[in-house]
Amino acid sequence: MTITKHEIVEFLAQEFPQALRKCSIEAITPKGAELLYQVDREDLRPGQTVSGPTLMLVADFVLYVAIMGHLGLVAMAVTTNMTINFFRKPKAGQNIRAVCKLIKVGKTLVTGEVWLYSGDEGEAVAHVIGTYAIPQKS
């Protein structure tokens, strides 16, 4: 089942509005999603770089959106595992671009990878592998 970007945005606006405060969904792709996170002062750590927790938030959210884009509006899907590798310092004045691709979609677990970029730079600032548990239909 595929679902449109508009349907996901409507669902999030109703059920999880704070998620859209600084994120915009750029695309829903086959087994994937792309989004843009608007970096501001609250996201920075000493050294004028985007904090690790902010990068993890963005990765977790784009994975959630990709899962909904592929499976439908699974509100209660939850993160079970996330591994992040930080490669380079994201620039303070640049938004974070996230590109997610689902690797394995099972009945109870979905695993995906996320590449995070600082603005339009071609080199990733981080790479994430995450797994979500999918609630069973009753």
Side-chain angles (χ1 to χ4, degrees), residues 40-117:
D40 63 26
R41 289 178 43 110
E42 294 175 0
D43 302 307
L44 303 182
R45 55 161 290 179
Q48 293 302 296
T49 185
V50 179
S51 72
T54 297
L55 295 176
M56 292 176 80
L57 175 151
V58 175
D60 191 44
F61 186 56
V62 74
L63 183 54
Y64 182 57
V65 168
I67 289 167
M68 287 193 294
H70 186 70
L71 297 178
L73 302 176
V74 285
M76 296 307 296
V78 294
T79 310
T80 61
N81 186 52
M82 184 173 284
T83 303
I84 187 166
N85 293 296
F86 300 99
F87 299 140
R88 56 190 49 79
K89 215 171 128 171
K91 294 181 181 169
Q94 303 237 358
N95 292 330
I96 298 297
R97 187 169 44 92
V99 179
C100 177
K101 186 73 173 172
L102 301 180
I103 300 169
K104 170 82 166 81
V105 179
K107 291 181 182 180
T108 59
L109 296 174
V110 175
T111 300
E113 73 171 339
V114 178
W115 292 94
L116 298 173
Y117 301 90

Side-chain angles (χ1 to χ4, degrees), residues 106-138:
K107 291 181 182 180
T108 59
L109 296 174
V110 175
T111 300
E113 73 171 339
V114 178
W115 292 94
L116 298 173
Y117 301 90
S118 185
D120 291 330
E121 292 183 10
E123 295 287 325
V125 296
H127 178 255
V128 179
I129 298 289
T131 302
Y132 263 69
I134 306 301
Q136 294 301 301
K137 297 176 182 168
S138 41

